[in-house]
mmCIF file of all heavy atoms in Angstrom:
data_model
loop_
_atom_site.group_PDB
_atom_site.id
_atom_site.type_symbol
_atom_site.label_atom_id
_atom_site.label_comp_id
_atom_site.label_asym_id
_atom_site.label_seq_id
_atom_site.Cartn_x
_atom_site.Cartn_y
_atom_site.Cartn_z
ATOM 1 N N ALA A 1 46.653 216.816 142.621
ATOM 2 C CA ALA A 1 47.458 216.037 141.680
ATOM 3 C C ALA A 1 48.612 215.335 142.393
ATOM 4 O O ALA A 1 49.103 215.800 143.422
ATOM 5 C CB ALA A 1 47.991 216.931 140.579
ATOM 6 N N THR A 2 49.030 214.220 141.816
ATOM 7 C CA THR A 2 50.154 213.436 142.335
ATOM 8 C C THR A 2 51.094 213.118 141.185
ATOM 9 O O THR A 2 50.651 212.768 140.090
ATOM 10 C CB THR A 2 49.659 212.137 142.981
ATOM 11 O OG1 THR A 2 48.745 212.449 144.036
ATOM 12 C CG2 THR A 2 50.823 211.356 143.566
ATOM 13 N N LEU A 3 52.368 213.234 141.448
ATOM 14 C CA LEU A 3 53.388 212.949 140.445
ATOM 15 C C LEU A 3 54.022 211.594 140.746
ATOM 16 O O LEU A 3 54.533 211.371 141.843
ATOM 17 C CB LEU A 3 54.456 214.039 140.446
ATOM 18 C CG LEU A 3 55.651 213.814 139.515
ATOM 19 C CD1 LEU A 3 55.208 213.831 138.063
ATOM 20 C CD2 LEU A 3 56.730 214.869 139.755
ATOM 21 N N VAL A 4 53.964 210.695 139.770
ATOM 22 C CA VAL A 4 54.652 209.403 139.877
ATOM 23 C C VAL A 4 55.953 209.520 139.103
ATOM 24 O O VAL A 4 55.954 209.622 137.874
ATOM 25 C CB VAL A 4 53.790 208.250 139.332
ATOM 26 C CG1 VAL A 4 54.555 206.933 139.410
ATOM 27 C CG2 VAL A 4 52.497 208.151 140.114
ATOM 28 N N ARG A 5 57.046 209.534 139.822
ATOM 29 C CA ARG A 5 58.358 209.727 139.224
ATOM 30 C C ARG A 5 59.085 208.381 139.182
ATOM 31 O O ARG A 5 59.372 207.782 140.217
ATOM 32 C CB ARG A 5 59.149 210.738 140.043
ATOM 33 C CG ARG A 5 60.573 210.928 139.566
ATOM 34 C CD ARG A 5 61.452 211.274 140.731
ATOM 35 N NE ARG A 5 62.831 211.497 140.320
ATOM 36 C CZ ARG A 5 63.802 211.773 141.164
ATOM 37 N NH1 ARG A 5 63.546 211.866 142.458
ATOM 38 N NH2 ARG A 5 65.033 211.942 140.749
ATOM 39 N N MET A 6 59.378 207.925 137.985
ATOM 40 C CA MET A 6 60.070 206.656 137.789
ATOM 41 C C MET A 6 61.525 206.922 137.417
ATOM 42 O O MET A 6 61.818 207.856 136.657
ATOM 43 C CB MET A 6 59.382 205.841 136.695
ATOM 44 C CG MET A 6 57.921 205.549 136.999
ATOM 45 S SD MET A 6 57.131 204.569 135.711
ATOM 46 C CE MET A 6 55.473 204.434 136.388
ATOM 47 N N HIS A 7 62.416 206.110 137.943
ATOM 48 C CA HIS A 7 63.847 206.310 137.742
ATOM 49 C C HIS A 7 64.505 204.950 137.525
ATOM 50 O O HIS A 7 63.945 203.901 137.891
ATOM 51 C CB HIS A 7 64.467 207.008 138.955
ATOM 52 C CG HIS A 7 64.207 206.312 140.258
ATOM 53 N ND1 HIS A 7 65.026 205.320 140.740
ATOM 54 C CD2 HIS A 7 63.205 206.445 141.159
ATOM 55 C CE1 HIS A 7 64.546 204.875 141.882
ATOM 56 N NE2 HIS A 7 63.444 205.543 142.163
ATOM 57 N N PRO A 8 65.711 204.918 136.953
ATOM 58 C CA PRO A 8 66.345 203.630 136.647
ATOM 59 C C PRO A 8 67.128 203.020 137.796
ATOM 60 O O PRO A 8 67.386 201.819 137.793
ATOM 61 C CB PRO A 8 67.293 203.985 135.487
ATOM 62 C CG PRO A 8 67.644 205.416 135.731
ATOM 63 C CD PRO A 8 66.435 206.051 136.360
ATOM 64 N N GLY A 9 67.554 203.800 138.796
ATOM 65 C CA GLY A 9 68.418 203.296 139.851
ATOM 66 C C GLY A 9 67.661 202.813 141.068
ATOM 67 O O GLY A 9 66.422 202.823 141.119
ATOM 68 N N ASN A 10 68.421 202.394 142.070
ATOM 69 C CA ASN A 10 67.823 201.926 143.318
ATOM 70 C C ASN A 10 67.376 203.081 144.215
ATOM 71 O O ASN A 10 66.386 202.959 144.939
ATOM 72 C CB ASN A 10 68.822 201.043 144.081
ATOM 73 C CG ASN A 10 69.135 199.760 143.335
ATOM 74 O OD1 ASN A 10 68.288 199.222 142.636
ATOM 75 N ND2 ASN A 10 70.371 199.283 143.466
ATOM 76 N N VAL A 11 68.114 204.187 144.181
ATOM 77 C CA VAL A 11 67.812 205.342 145.024
ATOM 78 C C VAL A 11 67.545 206.544 144.128
ATOM 79 O O VAL A 11 68.375 206.883 143.275
ATOM 80 C CB VAL A 11 68.983 205.653 145.986
ATOM 81 C CG1 VAL A 11 68.649 206.866 146.850
ATOM 82 C CG2 VAL A 11 69.287 204.445 146.853
ATOM 83 N N PRO A 12 66.394 207.218 144.273
ATOM 84 C CA PRO A 12 66.100 208.383 143.424
ATOM 85 C C PRO A 12 66.952 209.580 143.808
ATOM 86 O O PRO A 12 67.286 209.781 144.976
ATOM 87 C CB PRO A 12 64.614 208.642 143.694
ATOM 88 C CG PRO A 12 64.379 208.105 145.067
ATOM 89 C CD PRO A 12 65.288 206.915 145.200
ATOM 90 N N GLN A 13 67.295 210.368 142.825
ATOM 91 C CA GLN A 13 68.043 211.592 143.062
ATOM 92 C C GLN A 13 67.083 212.706 143.473
ATOM 93 O O GLN A 13 66.144 213.015 142.744
ATOM 94 C CB GLN A 13 68.823 212.003 141.806
ATOM 95 C CG GLN A 13 69.852 210.977 141.367
ATOM 96 C CD GLN A 13 70.577 211.381 140.106
ATOM 97 O OE1 GLN A 13 70.228 212.363 139.473
ATOM 98 N NE2 GLN A 13 71.588 210.617 139.734
ATOM 99 N N LYS A 14 67.327 213.294 144.632
ATOM 100 C CA LYS A 14 66.425 214.319 145.163
ATOM 101 C C LYS A 14 67.169 215.587 145.577
ATOM 102 O O LYS A 14 66.702 216.332 146.436
ATOM 103 C CB LYS A 14 65.655 213.769 146.375
ATOM 104 C CG LYS A 14 64.729 212.606 146.051
ATOM 105 C CD LYS A 14 63.945 212.176 147.272
ATOM 106 C CE LYS A 14 62.980 211.047 146.944
ATOM 107 N NZ LYS A 14 62.195 210.624 148.132
ATOM 108 N N GLN A 15 68.320 215.848 144.961
ATOM 109 C CA GLN A 15 69.094 217.016 145.356
ATOM 110 C C GLN A 15 68.325 218.309 145.133
ATOM 111 O O GLN A 15 68.440 219.254 145.919
ATOM 112 C CB GLN A 15 70.421 217.068 144.567
ATOM 113 C CG GLN A 15 71.405 215.978 144.940
ATOM 114 C CD GLN A 15 71.207 214.707 144.132
ATOM 115 O OE1 GLN A 15 70.109 214.426 143.681
ATOM 116 N NE2 GLN A 15 72.275 213.947 143.963
ATOM 117 N N ALA A 16 67.531 218.379 144.065
ATOM 118 C CA ALA A 16 66.807 219.610 143.736
ATOM 119 C C ALA A 16 65.393 219.635 144.303
ATOM 120 O O ALA A 16 64.692 220.631 144.138
ATOM 121 C CB ALA A 16 66.752 219.803 142.216
ATOM 122 N N MET A 17 64.961 218.572 144.958
ATOM 123 C CA MET A 17 63.588 218.493 145.457
ATOM 124 C C MET A 17 63.572 218.880 146.937
ATOM 125 O O MET A 17 64.177 218.208 147.768
ATOM 126 C CB MET A 17 63.037 217.086 145.256
ATOM 127 C CG MET A 17 63.019 216.644 143.803
ATOM 128 S SD MET A 17 62.451 214.952 143.565
ATOM 129 C CE MET A 17 60.771 215.088 144.163
ATOM 130 N N LYS A 18 62.873 219.964 147.234
ATOM 131 C CA LYS A 18 62.837 220.483 148.597
ATOM 132 C C LYS A 18 61.417 220.566 149.160
ATOM 133 O O LYS A 18 61.248 220.539 150.384
ATOM 134 C CB LYS A 18 63.463 221.885 148.638
ATOM 135 C CG LYS A 18 64.903 221.949 148.119
ATOM 136 C CD LYS A 18 65.854 221.104 148.959
ATOM 137 C CE LYS A 18 67.284 221.211 148.446
ATOM 138 N NZ LYS A 18 68.217 220.370 149.217
ATOM 139 N N GLU A 19 60.406 220.662 148.314
ATOM 140 C CA GLU A 19 59.040 220.881 148.775
ATOM 141 C C GLU A 19 58.100 219.851 148.167
ATOM 142 O O GLU A 19 58.389 219.256 147.127
ATOM 143 C CB GLU A 19 58.566 222.294 148.409
ATOM 144 C CG GLU A 19 59.400 223.416 149.033
ATOM 145 C CD GLU A 19 58.945 224.776 148.606
ATOM 146 O OE1 GLU A 19 58.031 224.842 147.736
ATOM 147 O OE2 GLU A 19 59.458 225.785 149.110
ATOM 148 N N GLN A 20 56.968 219.644 148.834
ATOM 149 C CA GLN A 20 55.879 218.778 148.370
ATOM 150 C C GLN A 20 56.371 217.362 148.078
ATOM 151 O O GLN A 20 55.943 216.717 147.116
ATOM 152 C CB GLN A 20 55.210 219.358 147.120
ATOM 153 C CG GLN A 20 54.701 220.775 147.282
ATOM 154 C CD GLN A 20 53.919 221.232 146.081
ATOM 155 O OE1 GLN A 20 52.876 220.650 145.764
ATOM 156 N NE2 GLN A 20 54.389 222.268 145.413
ATOM 157 N N LEU A 21 57.249 216.864 148.915
ATOM 158 C CA LEU A 21 57.792 215.533 148.683
ATOM 159 C C LEU A 21 56.741 214.445 148.887
ATOM 160 O O LEU A 21 56.841 213.364 148.299
ATOM 161 C CB LEU A 21 58.985 215.290 149.617
ATOM 162 C CG LEU A 21 60.205 216.202 149.400
ATOM 163 C CD1 LEU A 21 61.310 215.846 150.379
ATOM 164 C CD2 LEU A 21 60.709 216.110 147.975
ATOM 165 N N THR A 22 55.738 214.713 149.713
ATOM 166 C CA THR A 22 54.698 213.712 149.955
ATOM 167 C C THR A 22 53.808 213.504 148.736
ATOM 168 O O THR A 22 53.140 212.470 148.635
ATOM 169 C CB THR A 22 53.835 214.126 151.154
ATOM 170 O OG1 THR A 22 53.258 215.431 150.904
ATOM 171 C CG2 THR A 22 54.671 214.184 152.423
ATOM 172 N N ARG A 23 53.801 214.449 147.827
ATOM 173 C CA ARG A 23 52.969 214.331 146.629
ATOM 174 C C ARG A 23 53.721 213.719 145.464
ATOM 175 O O ARG A 23 53.173 213.582 144.378
ATOM 176 C CB ARG A 23 52.436 215.709 146.242
ATOM 177 C CG ARG A 23 51.666 216.380 147.365
ATOM 178 C CD ARG A 23 51.161 217.733 146.955
ATOM 179 N NE ARG A 23 50.234 217.620 145.855
ATOM 180 C CZ ARG A 23 49.737 218.673 145.192
ATOM 181 N NH1 ARG A 23 50.121 219.878 145.508
ATOM 182 N NH2 ARG A 23 48.875 218.504 144.221
ATOM 183 N N CYS A 24 54.971 213.369 145.676
ATOM 184 C CA CYS A 24 55.785 212.748 144.643
ATOM 185 C C CYS A 24 56.077 211.302 145.034
ATOM 186 O O CYS A 24 56.675 211.041 146.077
ATOM 187 C CB CYS A 24 57.085 213.526 144.445
ATOM 188 S SG CYS A 24 58.174 212.826 143.179
ATOM 189 N N ILE A 25 55.652 210.363 144.208
ATOM 190 C CA ILE A 25 55.889 208.943 144.433
ATOM 191 C C ILE A 25 57.080 208.530 143.577
ATOM 192 O O ILE A 25 57.000 208.515 142.352
ATOM 193 C CB ILE A 25 54.649 208.114 144.071
ATOM 194 C CG1 ILE A 25 53.423 208.606 144.842
ATOM 195 C CG2 ILE A 25 54.886 206.638 144.343
ATOM 196 C CD1 ILE A 25 52.135 207.929 144.427
ATOM 197 N N SER A 26 58.193 208.215 144.216
ATOM 198 C CA SER A 26 59.421 207.842 143.510
ATOM 199 C C SER A 26 59.580 206.329 143.533
ATOM 200 O O SER A 26 59.657 205.727 144.607
ATOM 201 C CB SER A 26 60.637 208.511 144.157
ATOM 202 O OG SER A 26 60.535 209.925 144.085
ATOM 203 N N VAL A 27 59.620 205.726 142.348
ATOM 204 C CA VAL A 27 59.706 204.271 142.230
ATOM 205 C C VAL A 27 60.707 203.909 141.136
ATOM 206 O O VAL A 27 60.922 204.679 140.192
ATOM 207 C CB VAL A 27 58.328 203.645 141.907
ATOM 208 C CG1 VAL A 27 57.372 203.813 143.059
ATOM 209 C CG2 VAL A 27 57.739 204.250 140.638
ATOM 210 N N ASN A 28 61.304 202.750 141.296
ATOM 211 C CA ASN A 28 62.135 202.194 140.238
ATOM 212 C C ASN A 28 61.240 201.668 139.114
ATOM 213 O O ASN A 28 60.255 200.974 139.367
ATOM 214 C CB ASN A 28 63.004 201.070 140.793
ATOM 215 C CG ASN A 28 63.847 200.402 139.727
ATOM 216 O OD1 ASN A 28 63.398 199.464 139.065
ATOM 217 N ND2 ASN A 28 65.065 200.865 139.553
ATOM 218 N N LEU A 29 61.567 202.019 137.883
ATOM 219 C CA LEU A 29 60.705 201.682 136.748
ATOM 220 C C LEU A 29 60.474 200.180 136.633
ATOM 221 O O LEU A 29 59.337 199.721 136.513
ATOM 222 C CB LEU A 29 61.326 202.229 135.459
ATOM 223 C CG LEU A 29 60.644 201.811 134.150
ATOM 224 C CD1 LEU A 29 59.229 202.368 134.076
ATOM 225 C CD2 LEU A 29 61.456 202.274 132.946
ATOM 226 N N TYR A 30 61.529 199.407 136.686
ATOM 227 C CA TYR A 30 61.412 197.963 136.470
ATOM 228 C C TYR A 30 60.754 197.273 137.664
ATOM 229 O O TYR A 30 60.015 196.301 137.500
ATOM 230 C CB TYR A 30 62.799 197.391 136.192
ATOM 231 C CG TYR A 30 63.566 198.198 135.167
ATOM 232 C CD1 TYR A 30 64.573 199.067 135.558
ATOM 233 C CD2 TYR A 30 63.236 198.120 133.816
ATOM 234 C CE1 TYR A 30 65.261 199.839 134.616
ATOM 235 C CE2 TYR A 30 63.916 198.882 132.875
ATOM 236 C CZ TYR A 30 64.924 199.743 133.279
ATOM 237 O OH TYR A 30 65.589 200.506 132.358
ATOM 238 N N SER A 31 60.993 197.782 138.868
ATOM 239 C CA SER A 31 60.395 197.192 140.053
ATOM 240 C C SER A 31 58.883 197.398 140.080
ATOM 241 O O SER A 31 58.117 196.470 140.373
ATOM 242 C CB SER A 31 61.028 197.794 141.317
ATOM 243 O OG SER A 31 60.385 197.316 142.481
ATOM 244 N N VAL A 32 58.414 198.600 139.754
ATOM 245 C CA VAL A 32 56.980 198.876 139.817
ATOM 246 C C VAL A 32 56.239 198.168 138.684
ATOM 247 O O VAL A 32 55.105 197.701 138.877
ATOM 248 C CB VAL A 32 56.720 200.391 139.784
ATOM 249 C CG1 VAL A 32 57.001 200.982 138.411
ATOM 250 C CG2 VAL A 32 55.296 200.709 140.211
ATOM 251 N N LEU A 33 56.851 198.035 137.529
ATOM 252 C CA LEU A 33 56.205 197.293 136.439
ATOM 253 C C LEU A 33 56.085 195.810 136.785
ATOM 254 O O LEU A 33 55.063 195.176 136.502
ATOM 255 C CB LEU A 33 56.987 197.467 135.142
ATOM 256 C CG LEU A 33 56.882 198.830 134.455
ATOM 257 C CD1 LEU A 33 57.793 198.886 133.238
ATOM 258 C CD2 LEU A 33 55.447 199.132 134.055
ATOM 259 N N ARG A 34 57.129 195.251 137.405
ATOM 260 C CA ARG A 34 57.080 193.848 137.800
ATOM 261 C C ARG A 34 55.983 193.609 138.830
ATOM 262 O O ARG A 34 55.221 192.644 138.722
ATOM 263 C CB ARG A 34 58.441 193.414 138.356
ATOM 264 C CG ARG A 34 58.494 191.959 138.784
ATOM 265 C CD ARG A 34 59.903 191.529 139.129
ATOM 266 N NE ARG A 34 60.456 192.301 140.226
ATOM 267 C CZ ARG A 34 61.426 193.194 140.080
ATOM 268 N NH1 ARG A 34 61.952 193.422 138.894
ATOM 269 N NH2 ARG A 34 61.893 193.865 141.131
ATOM 270 N N GLU A 35 55.865 194.492 139.819
ATOM 271 C CA GLU A 35 54.826 194.325 140.828
ATOM 272 C C GLU A 35 53.437 194.506 140.235
ATOM 273 O O GLU A 35 52.489 193.786 140.593
ATOM 274 C CB GLU A 35 55.043 195.327 141.965
ATOM 275 C CG GLU A 35 54.019 195.203 143.087
ATOM 276 C CD GLU A 35 54.431 195.941 144.340
ATOM 277 O OE1 GLU A 35 55.635 196.233 144.481
ATOM 278 O OE2 GLU A 35 53.558 196.194 145.186
ATOM 279 N N TYR A 36 53.284 195.442 139.313
ATOM 280 C CA TYR A 36 51.976 195.675 138.688
ATOM 281 C C TYR A 36 51.500 194.434 137.931
ATOM 282 O O TYR A 36 50.351 194.008 138.081
ATOM 283 C CB TYR A 36 52.059 196.871 137.745
ATOM 284 C CG TYR A 36 50.810 197.094 136.934
ATOM 285 C CD1 TYR A 36 49.715 197.780 137.461
ATOM 286 C CD2 TYR A 36 50.716 196.607 135.634
ATOM 287 C CE1 TYR A 36 48.569 197.971 136.717
ATOM 288 C CE2 TYR A 36 49.571 196.801 134.878
ATOM 289 C CZ TYR A 36 48.502 197.489 135.422
ATOM 290 O OH TYR A 36 47.354 197.662 134.665
ATOM 291 N N TYR A 37 52.365 193.840 137.134
ATOM 292 C CA TYR A 37 51.955 192.690 136.332
ATOM 293 C C TYR A 37 51.829 191.428 137.187
ATOM 294 O O TYR A 37 51.027 190.542 136.859
ATOM 295 C CB TYR A 37 52.941 192.472 135.185
ATOM 296 C CG TYR A 37 52.797 193.510 134.091
ATOM 297 C CD1 TYR A 37 53.786 194.453 133.868
ATOM 298 C CD2 TYR A 37 51.654 193.560 133.296
ATOM 299 C CE1 TYR A 37 53.646 195.419 132.882
ATOM 300 C CE2 TYR A 37 51.513 194.505 132.303
ATOM 301 C CZ TYR A 37 52.507 195.443 132.097
ATOM 302 O OH TYR A 37 52.361 196.395 131.117
ATOM 303 N N GLN A 38 52.583 191.329 138.255
ATOM 304 C CA GLN A 38 52.398 190.193 139.157
ATOM 305 C C GLN A 38 51.028 190.248 139.821
ATOM 306 O O GLN A 38 50.337 189.228 139.919
ATOM 307 C CB GLN A 38 53.508 190.187 140.210
ATOM 308 C CG GLN A 38 54.852 189.717 139.685
ATOM 309 C CD GLN A 38 55.943 189.772 140.742
ATOM 310 O OE1 GLN A 38 55.739 190.310 141.838
ATOM 311 N NE2 GLN A 38 57.108 189.225 140.439
ATOM 312 N N GLU A 39 50.624 191.422 140.280
ATOM 313 C CA GLU A 39 49.292 191.555 140.871
ATOM 314 C C GLU A 39 48.206 191.318 139.833
ATOM 315 O O GLU A 39 47.171 190.725 140.133
ATOM 316 C CB GLU A 39 49.129 192.955 141.474
ATOM 317 C CG GLU A 39 50.005 193.199 142.696
ATOM 318 C CD GLU A 39 49.807 194.586 143.256
ATOM 319 O OE1 GLU A 39 49.025 195.358 142.659
ATOM 320 O OE2 GLU A 39 50.437 194.905 144.284
ATOM 321 N N LYS A 40 48.439 191.748 138.613
ATOM 322 C CA LYS A 40 47.451 191.552 137.555
ATOM 323 C C LYS A 40 47.278 190.078 137.220
ATOM 324 O O LYS A 40 46.168 189.614 136.947
ATOM 325 C CB LYS A 40 47.878 192.326 136.306
ATOM 326 C CG LYS A 40 46.832 192.351 135.200
ATOM 327 C CD LYS A 40 47.298 193.210 134.046
ATOM 328 C CE LYS A 40 46.262 193.235 132.942
ATOM 329 N NZ LYS A 40 46.707 194.074 131.789
ATOM 330 N N ASP A 41 48.385 189.310 137.238
ATOM 331 C CA ASP A 41 48.304 187.878 136.955
ATOM 332 C C ASP A 41 47.667 187.104 138.102
ATOM 333 O O ASP A 41 47.064 186.050 137.884
ATOM 334 C CB ASP A 41 49.702 187.327 136.682
ATOM 335 C CG ASP A 41 50.299 187.908 135.412
ATOM 336 O OD1 ASP A 41 49.529 188.386 134.564
ATOM 337 O OD2 ASP A 41 51.545 187.906 135.288
ATOM 338 N N GLN A 42 47.787 187.604 139.327
ATOM 339 C CA GLN A 42 47.235 186.901 140.485
ATOM 340 C C GLN A 42 45.739 187.120 140.645
ATOM 341 O O GLN A 42 45.073 186.326 141.302
ATOM 342 C CB GLN A 42 47.948 187.358 141.757
ATOM 343 C CG GLN A 42 49.392 186.883 141.856
ATOM 344 C CD GLN A 42 50.107 187.454 143.045
ATOM 345 O OE1 GLN A 42 49.527 188.238 143.800
ATOM 346 N NE2 GLN A 42 51.354 187.090 143.231
ATOM 347 N N GLN A 43 45.181 188.138 140.043
ATOM 348 C CA GLN A 43 43.757 188.422 140.211
ATOM 349 C C GLN A 43 42.853 187.320 139.660
ATOM 350 O O GLN A 43 41.939 186.880 140.330
ATOM 351 C CB GLN A 43 43.420 189.780 139.579
ATOM 352 C CG GLN A 43 43.930 190.969 140.376
ATOM 353 C CD GLN A 43 43.610 192.289 139.708
ATOM 354 O OE1 GLN A 43 43.062 192.332 138.602
ATOM 355 N NE2 GLN A 43 43.965 193.366 140.373
ATOM 356 N N PRO A 44 43.059 186.807 138.423
ATOM 357 C CA PRO A 44 42.195 185.714 137.945
ATOM 358 C C PRO A 44 42.284 184.460 138.794
ATOM 359 O O PRO A 44 41.280 183.808 139.063
ATOM 360 C CB PRO A 44 42.702 185.471 136.516
ATOM 361 C CG PRO A 44 43.381 186.736 136.126
ATOM 362 C CD PRO A 44 43.985 187.256 137.404
ATOM 363 N N SER A 45 43.506 184.099 139.256
ATOM 364 C CA SER A 45 43.659 182.891 140.066
ATOM 365 C C SER A 45 42.974 183.041 141.418
ATOM 366 O O SER A 45 42.397 182.082 141.948
ATOM 367 C CB SER A 45 45.139 182.579 140.258
ATOM 368 O OG SER A 45 45.794 183.655 140.907
ATOM 369 N N SER A 46 43.013 184.248 141.997
ATOM 370 C CA SER A 46 42.360 184.455 143.288
ATOM 371 C C SER A 46 40.842 184.357 143.147
ATOM 372 O O SER A 46 40.154 183.855 144.038
ATOM 373 C CB SER A 46 42.757 185.824 143.851
ATOM 374 O OG SER A 46 42.331 186.867 142.993
#
């Protein structure tokens, strides 16, 4: 399993996270949504 952790800021808070960091994908919510829909819009044109 993989955990996708979305957060509102530029840098995720990881003070309590000590283990299995490679299995946690930390992304900014608005940034990842923008990239997802940009790639989705580019697929028909390509």
Side-chain angles (χ1 to χ4, degrees):
T2 302
L3 175 65
V4 178
R5 175 211 181 182
M6 302 181 180
H7 55 88
N10 295 328
V11 180
Q13 298 178 353
K14 296 183 178 181
Q15 291 88 333
M17 301 177 63
K18 303 298 181 182
E19 299 177 355
Q20 305 186 62
L21 296 180
T22 58
R23 304 180 62 187
C24 180
I25 304 174
S26 298
V27 293
N28 177 273
L29 172 64
Y30 313 103
S31 175
V32 71
L33 287 176
R34 181 172 61 251
E35 181 166 341
Y36 173 83
Y37 287 111
Q38 285 178 352
E39 292 180 358
K40 188 176 180 180
D41 294 339
Q42 290 174 359
Q43 287 179 356
S45 60
S46 62

